[in-house]
Amino acid sequence: MENGGTSLEAKIEALLNVEKQMRQAGDVAGTRKAVTDILQLCLDAGSWATLNEQIVLISKRRGQLKQAVQAMVQQAMQYIDKTPDLDSKIELIKTLNNVSAGKIYVEIERARLIKKLAKIKEEQGQIAEAADLMQEIAVETFGAMAKTEKIAFILEQVRLCLDRQDYVRAQILARKISPRVFEADTSKEKKRKEGESIVEEAPADIPSLLELKRIYYQLMIRYYLHNNDYLEICRCYKSIYEIPSVKEDQAQWIPVLRKICWYLVLSPHDPMQSSLLNSTLEDKNLSEIPHFRLLLKQLVTMEVIMWTALWNMFKDEFENEMNILGGSLGEKAAEDLRLRVIEHNIHVVSKYYSRVTLKRLADLLCLTLQEAEKHLSDMVVSKALVAKIDRPMGVVCFQTAKDSNEILNSWAMNLEKLLELVEKSCHQIHKERMVHKAALRA
């Protein structure tokens, strides 16, 4: 064993002398070959400690060529999966990480090394450490890294932040990816000139752009679920629904369309929600799940919805959602669904009544007086509705109080319309008289 060790050291020493001569002569190819041969010798001998030592030694040699360091890091990265145990693997990754730190020409290799190390940390249950490691790297600044690899790296950063429940940092990282990047035409991208910089090919394990789009929106759904932002969740599912591979497979799009319908119903009423609701109702695929078409129709129709009847009809569907792709709708979902039905009913009442007693409003909403007043007050505070409650009289007024200018303007407009009608009528009478006179002369 000692002879083998001595012979390895002698061979490495000989190759180091060759490397020195080549480096001093400025021979890039020769230096690169000498460096890679040293690494190969260590691998063949199974001496992982020597390998780590030689990587550090070669990188620190005076006037070391960039190309030699790059070739050494790239070759040593191929040995990571050949290590005999986990400790050797971690040690090699850390050595390569230290060697490549601060060197722009091996920044992509360093990012891949950090990703491998973070994966090991995560498998050991150290999610916080894995997330901290990944955040060291800002891949959006790497000009030579393939677009799909950049996106995949940032998505991994977002996922780890969500796993450690660091929602603020997850949002900051997610903003580095513009949703428009998923709509880019890849055929045009190849024709585009990159100038001097050469963009590397993404590794084989990196998903396609459309698969990354699905992963991105699934992560964003996790983020928005934390805040119960139902409309944004709905928009994320809508984007997943538009992916061609999903739209072509009924088994994939039915669960997604169900989620779109549920989150539309759970979203507070606003112009965006209304627009999405109407566009979803026009979707022909909704005929495959008629139960949900009925649910959306009820929200569009300006009629009071009976909560008990609605819940009895959709309770099974609601509970069944947790067994379908995408998981359950959240803890507060049932409570929020009832709240949306109450808000819808108040909107309907405000459309048909200018004044109504609080007791009558409570009867229409199937609520107690206190509950009716609370929900009405919440809607007024959130500016979803304009209303005033006269508590001593027990009357709710849905009309807005107009100032003197508005009243005068409305009168002026009404007078203008009246004069237009009078003028039109006079013109018609005059026309009829002329026609009548002409008929008499004939």
Side-chain angles (χ1 to χ4, degrees):
M1 189 71 187
E2 278 179 26
N3 292 339
T6 311
S7 107
L8 174 64
E9 282 171 20
K11 285 177 184 174
I12 290 171
E13 197 60 44
L15 280 169
L16 283 171
N17 289 329
V18 173
E19 183 270 336
K20 184 179 179 181
Q21 289 168 12
M22 294 295 178
R23 173 164 42 86
Q24 288 175 343
D27 186 343
V28 173
T31 312
R32 194 188 285 148
K33 186 175 187 314
V35 165
T36 50
D37 284 352
I38 290 168
L39 298 189
Q40 192 62 46
L41 273 175
C42 295
L43 177 74
D44 294 342
S47 181
W48 297 98
T50 311
L51 177 70
N52 289 327
E53 285 167 18
Q54 291 305 318
I55 289 168
V56 175
L57 181 73
I58 292 164
S59 69
K60 286 182 177 177
R61 299 200 98 178
R62 186 171 176 166
Q64 187 57 272
L65 303 174
K66 291 178 182 179
Q67 295 90 334
V69 174
Q70 192 175 32
M72 176 181 73
V73 171
Q74 286 172 351
Q75 178 150 338
M77 280 179 73
Q78 294 169 13
Y79 301 163
I80 291 169
D81 294 329
K82 296 177 183 177
T83 48
D85 52 60
L86 188 62
D87 291 338
S88 306
K89 182 183 275 191
I90 292 170
E91 197 56 43
L92 180 56
I93 292 171
K94 283 183 175 176
T95 303
L96 289 169
N97 184 25
N98 292 335
V99 165
S100 56
K103 297 182 176 73
I104 290 174
Y105 50 89
V106 283
E107 62 184 3
I108 294 176
E109 285 77 10
R110 183 162 186 258
R112 289 170 184 168
L113 286 164
I114 291 284
K115 196 174 179 182
K116 281 178 186 289
L117 190 57
K119 193 173 182 186
I120 293 166
K121 292 275 185 193
E122 189 185 0
E123 284 167 0
Q124 291 174 338
Q126 299 173 3
I127 292 167
E129 287 86 340
D132 289 337
L133 270 172
M134 289 291 279
Q135 279 157 41
E136 288 177 20
I137 310 294
V139 286
E140 64 275 10
T141 61
F142 295 2
M145 188 182 262
K147 184 169 75 174
T148 50
E149 192 176 356
K150 277 186 197 177
I151 295 167
F153 195 93
I154 295 168
L155 289 178
E156 194 64 14
Q157 290 175 322
V158 173
R159 183 185 67 78
L160 285 166
C161 283
L162 289 172
D163 286 350
R164 72 185 286 195
Q165 298 184 335
D166 187 350
Y167 295 101
V168 174
R169 195 162 276 130
Q171 186 190 27
I172 292 165
L173 290 164
R175 280 181 178 165
K176 291 180 181 180
I177 301 171
S178 167
R180 280 177 295 181
V181 79
F182 300 114
E183 314 305 325
D185 190 349
T186 47
S187 60
K188 286 179 185 174
E189 187 116 341
K190 287 173 188 173
K191 292 172 192 172
R192 196 183 68 206
K193 289 179 182 176
E194 291 291 342
E196 295 301 312
S197 62
I198 298 161
V199 176
E200 281 193 22
E201 284 291 314
D205 61 337
I206 298 295
S208 67
L209 198 61
L210 286 173
E211 192 52 42
L212 288 169
K213 180 180 179 178
R214 187 205 286 259
I215 296 165
Y216 169 76
Y217 284 112
Q218 283 169 345
L219 289 172
M220 293 316 292
I221 287 164
R222 277 182 64 189
Y223 170 73
Y224 289 124
L225 268 171
H226 167 66
N227 302 321
N228 284 325
D229 194 340
Y230 297 124
L231 188 60
E232 287 300 329
I233 296 168
C234 175
R235 290 175 70 186
C236 290
Y237 273 116
K238 195 88 172 166
S239 299
I240 293 172
Y241 181 67
E242 297 300 327
I243 297 171
S245 60
V246 175
K247 241 184 171 176
E248 287 160 13
D249 183 4
Q250 189 170 348
Q252 285 191 56
W253 65 251
I254 282 187
V256 176
L257 191 55
R258 282 172 66 102
K259 287 283 190 290
I260 290 169
C261 294
W262 276 123
Y263 285 113
L264 266 176
V265 174
L266 288 166
S267 303
H269 179 78
D270 70 4
M272 175 68 78
Q273 187 258 6
S274 185
S275 171
L276 275 171
L277 189 62
N278 288 309
S279 65
T280 307
L281 271 168
E282 288 168 15
D283 192 337
K284 290 175 183 174
N285 288 341
L286 207 59
S287 58
E288 295 292 327
I289 43 173
H291 227 46
F292 286 86
R293 177 186 280 278
L294 180 66
L295 179 64
L296 297 186
K297 273 281 184 193
Q298 282 188 293
L299 277 187
V300 173
T301 311
M302 292 306 283
E303 288 179 9
V304 171
I305 300 169
M306 296 298 290
W307 164 248
T308 47
L310 181 88
W311 183 242
N312 289 339
M313 191 184 293
F314 290 99
K315 187 181 178 183
D316 292 342
E317 292 283 6
F318 187 88
E319 288 170 356
N320 192 32
E321 207 64 39
M322 66 179 68
N323 306 320
I324 291 173
L325 185 77
S328 59
L329 300 169
E331 295 170 10
K332 277 180 84 252
E335 191 184 315
D336 287 337
L337 181 63
R338 182 168 180 263
L339 186 61
R340 296 296 163 256
V341 170
I342 291 167
E343 287 174 1
H344 168 82
N345 290 344
I346 292 173
H347 272 294
V348 172
V349 172
S350 71
K351 185 177 170 65
Y352 291 114
Y353 288 88
S354 58
R355 283 160 62 84
V356 66
T357 63
L358 198 56
K359 187 179 182 310
R360 175 69 178 139
L361 179 68
D363 290 344
L364 287 167
L365 300 176
C366 303
L367 300 171
T368 63
L369 285 171
Q370 287 79 10
E371 283 179 322
E373 190 177 316
K374 181 190 174 296
H375 289 301
L376 185 63
S377 303
D378 289 345
M379 286 182 74
V380 171
V381 169
S382 65
K383 294 190 169 66
L385 190 75
V386 176
K388 280 187 178 180
I389 303 172
D390 184 343
R391 295 182 92 177
M393 293 286 289
V395 173
V396 181
C397 180
F398 292 109
Q399 283 184 324
T400 53
K402 292 181 181 178
D403 64 10
S404 53
N405 286 335
E406 282 183 7
I407 294 166
L408 284 170
N409 285 340
S410 66
W411 283 356
M413 280 177 71
N414 289 341
L415 278 171
E416 204 175 311
K417 283 179 186 174
L418 179 65
L419 289 171
E420 274 180 26
L421 283 169
V422 170
E423 195 178 338
K424 219 176 250 183
S425 303
C426 290
H427 179 70
Q428 290 289 341
I429 292 164
H430 185 63
K431 187 179 169 185
E432 287 292 326
R433 284 175 68 185
M434 295 297 286
V435 169
H436 189 62
K437 274 183 186 177
L440 287 172
R441 281 177 193 162

